[in-house]
Amino acid sequence: MQLVDINKSIYRKRLNIVIAIFVACLTLISIGFGAILIQLFGDALPAVDPETGEALSNFRYNFVGVILALLVCISILQQLKNHPFCKEIHYVWVLKQIQNIIYRRLKNIKAAANNYENEPDVNAFVVLNFYYKSLIQVYMLDNNTLTISTVKQDLASLEARMEELKIDVTAHEFRRVLLIEYR
């Protein structure tokens, strides 16, 4: 995966539109499914609990309606993820998935990069370089300025270590298959 420059304002605008439409559709479809399920199966239960005398609710039908609506909305999002309007959103979503995979393997990747006994693993430096640069990009897009300074420090120390070892790698060399060896 390559790092791509994303226009922050377009990304935020489109993400907010997609989120608003998702919430609106989820709400309306949930109400619709809930009403249909209550209409179809609401008479199957007595209106009052025979033991306690309390009125029974249609919570279970409404809950099933929400689950069905969620499945419908997710399937619609899956079909629209490659639409040009969602290009930036999908890119950031995939980038965050890759970051999550790297984060879970970060201990092994850092160990391979800091291997002083043998030659340091160049692929570990490629992965770390990509990881830190992609984190900075996503943090800037999501306005996460609280922890970006730590990431920039980590990137600077990585670049200093690469310069010390005379290793020249870029984030563009990253391939997802490089992560296989760091399980």
Side-chain angles (χ1 to χ4, degrees):
M1 173 164 209
Q2 302 296 319
L3 292 178
V4 178
D5 287 332
I6 300 289
N7 185 329
K8 182 178 178 179
S9 62
I10 291 175
Y11 166 73
R12 295 301 305 172
K13 180 182 175 185
R14 290 180 178 180
L15 180 63
N16 289 339
I17 290 170
V18 168
I19 289 171
I21 291 172
F22 180 83
V23 169
C25 287
L26 180 65
T27 302
L28 294 174
I29 295 171
S30 295
I31 291 170
F33 274 133
I36 291 170
L37 290 171
I38 291 169
Q39 188 67 32
L40 292 175
F41 303 110
D43 295 334
L45 296 175
V48 178
D49 187 356
E51 295 177 9
T52 62
E54 294 179 13
L56 293 175
S57 71
N58 292 317
F59 172 78
R60 68 189 78 173
Y61 300 124
N62 289 326
F63 182 73
V64 171
V66 170
I67 299 299
L68 291 173
L70 186 63
L71 293 173
V72 168
C73 288
I74 289 173
S75 68
I76 291 170
L77 279 178
Q78 284 292 333
Q79 291 176 8
L80 295 177
K81 71 181 179 184
N82 293 324
H83 190 276
F85 183 82
C86 298
K87 183 178 85 169
E88 293 88 358
I89 299 167
H90 184 253
Y91 165 77
V92 174
W93 181 58
V94 171
L95 189 60
K96 286 181 178 183
Q97 288 178 334
I98 292 173
Q99 288 173 348
N100 190 11
I101 294 168
I102 295 172
Y103 178 76
R104 290 193 314 257
R105 300 173 185 183
L106 196 57
K107 180 180 174 186
N108 294 338
I109 296 168
K110 285 184 176 181
N114 294 325
N115 189 352
Y116 292 104
E117 297 169 7
N118 300 326
E119 287 286 317
D121 188 355
V122 176
N123 289 338
F125 284 102
V126 170
V127 172
L128 287 172
N129 192 20
F130 173 83
Y131 179 65
Y132 292 134
K133 288 182 178 180
S134 67
L135 278 178
I136 290 170
Q137 181 182 25
V138 170
Y139 285 0
M140 294 298 289
L141 289 172
D142 289 341
N143 289 328
N144 183 357
T145 56
L146 293 175
T147 55
I148 198 165
S149 59
T150 306
V151 176
K152 286 182 177 180
Q153 289 172 351
D154 291 342
L155 179 61
S157 66
L158 176 71
E159 288 173 343
R161 173 114 168 91
M162 288 181 349
E163 188 175 314
E164 173 187 317
L165 295 172
K166 295 178 178 39
I167 296 175
D168 185 31
V169 297
T170 64
H172 295 292
E173 297 175 36
F174 175 78
R175 303 290 177 265
R176 201 170 180 160
V177 295
L178 295 177
L179 299 174
I180 292 173
E181 62 187 271
Y182 302 110
R183 289 187 177 188

